[in-house]
């Protein structure tokens, strides 16, 4: 994979994923290149979240030790959420359509669906951060629904049901991470 080609591939992938292009999710082949691009999107989403959080924590004059622990937990939560949500979708998909798709094959479209989270750094905008975060969360949910519908080749209502099983768990985990960060900043 050449540097220029991979950047063009990443840009086109981000655009198609952000636009919720169902054909893109269906027609994207499962290759080493697409796996790398999907993982890159998830890493960029984690870094974007960490960037937004770091600015907020620095503005609040958080101690360096708390800052680094909190940011590590933030990044880990995004990456862990990606694998966990994909796993729950895979297990439910196995129940609906046994042997239709592997866990690894689902990692690609779900990774692409994390594209809206690449904009998480925008949550640092004063007074708009929470609203932006909610929009990004819903946008990601819609992208995952499209990815699951196309990836598992199922009807939209089933894709919605499958995604809603894991989504609350991911949101609880994100809330838990935020509570841990607040507690750490008070204790240390």
């Amino acid at each position: 994979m050449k540097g220029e080609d991979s950047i063009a591939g990443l840009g086109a992938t981000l655009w198609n994923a952000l636009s919720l292009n169902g054909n893109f999710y269906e027609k994207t082949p499962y290759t080493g290149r697409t796996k790398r691009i999907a993982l890159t999107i998830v890493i960029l989403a984690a870094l974007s979240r960490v960037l937004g959080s770091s600015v907020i924590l620095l503005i609040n004059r958080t101690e360096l030790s708390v800052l680094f622990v909190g940011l590590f937990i933030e990044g880990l939560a995004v990456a862990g959420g990606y694998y966990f949500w994909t796993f729950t979708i895979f297990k439910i998909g196995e129940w609906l359509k046994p042997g239709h798709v592997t866990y690894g094959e689902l990692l690609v479209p779900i990774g692409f669906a994390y594209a809206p989270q690449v904009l998480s750094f925008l949550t640092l905008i004063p007074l708009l951060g929470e609203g932006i975060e909610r929009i990004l969360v819903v946008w990601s949910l819609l992208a995952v629904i499209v990815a699951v519908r196309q990836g598992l080749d199922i009807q939209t209502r089933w894709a919605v049901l499958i995604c809603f099983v894991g989504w609350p768990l991911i949101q609880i985990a994100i809330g838990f991470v935020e509570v841990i960060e607040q507690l750490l900043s008070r204790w240390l």
Side-chain angles (χ1 to χ4, degrees):
M1 174 164 52
K2 295 178 184 169
E4 252 177 57
D5 187 34
S6 65
I7 290 171
L10 178 62
T13 300
L14 282 168
W15 176 255
N16 282 306
L18 288 169
S19 65
L20 305 178
N21 182 347
N23 288 330
F24 164 73
Y25 286 101
E26 188 172 347
K27 304 234 187 275
T28 300
Y30 176 69
T31 64
R33 182 171 188 260
T34 57
K35 288 190 304 188
R36 285 188 298 274
I37 290 173
L39 185 58
T40 300
I41 290 172
V42 173
I43 291 169
L44 287 173
L47 291 174
S48 181
R49 176 123 179 141
V50 165
L51 175 65
S53 295
S54 66
V55 170
I56 292 167
L57 290 171
L58 286 171
I59 288 171
N60 290 323
R61 297 183 179 159
T62 305
E63 287 187 31
L64 278 179
S65 60
V66 174
L67 177 74
F68 289 125
V69 170
L71 296 179
F72 177 75
I73 292 171
E74 285 271 349
L76 198 59
V78 172
Y82 161 65
Y83 288 106
F84 178 71
W85 200 6
T86 303
F87 183 74
T88 61
I89 289 168
F90 167 71
K91 282 305 196 182
I92 296 168
E94 270 292 302
W95 178 70
L96 286 175
K97 283 187 151 187
H100 182 69
V101 67
T102 66
Y103 175 71
E105 290 170 335
L106 267 181
L107 286 171
V108 171
I110 305 291
F112 292 165
Y114 266 61
Q117 296 301 316
V118 172
L119 304 172
S120 289
F121 68 92
L122 295 173
T123 60
L124 62 89
I125 298 173
L127 303 175
L128 299 177
E130 275 188 51
I132 291 171
E133 185 172 3
R134 288 186 181 123
I135 289 168
L136 293 176
V137 165
V138 171
W139 194 356
S140 293
L141 174 62
L142 293 174
V144 171
I145 289 170
V146 171
V148 168
R149 181 188 69 206
Q150 300 305 116
L152 293 177
D153 192 26
I154 58 176
Q155 294 177 346
T156 302
R157 69 173 181 249
W158 286 109
V160 168
L161 179 68
I162 290 170
C163 292
F164 271 121
V165 169
W167 190 65
L169 299 173
I170 300 302
Q171 296 312 304
I172 290 168
I174 290 170
F176 184 69
V177 167
E178 290 172 358
V179 167
I180 288 174
E181 283 180 341
Q182 290 175 0
L183 290 174
L184 283 173
S185 67
R186 289 182 187 158
W187 286 344
L188 298 177

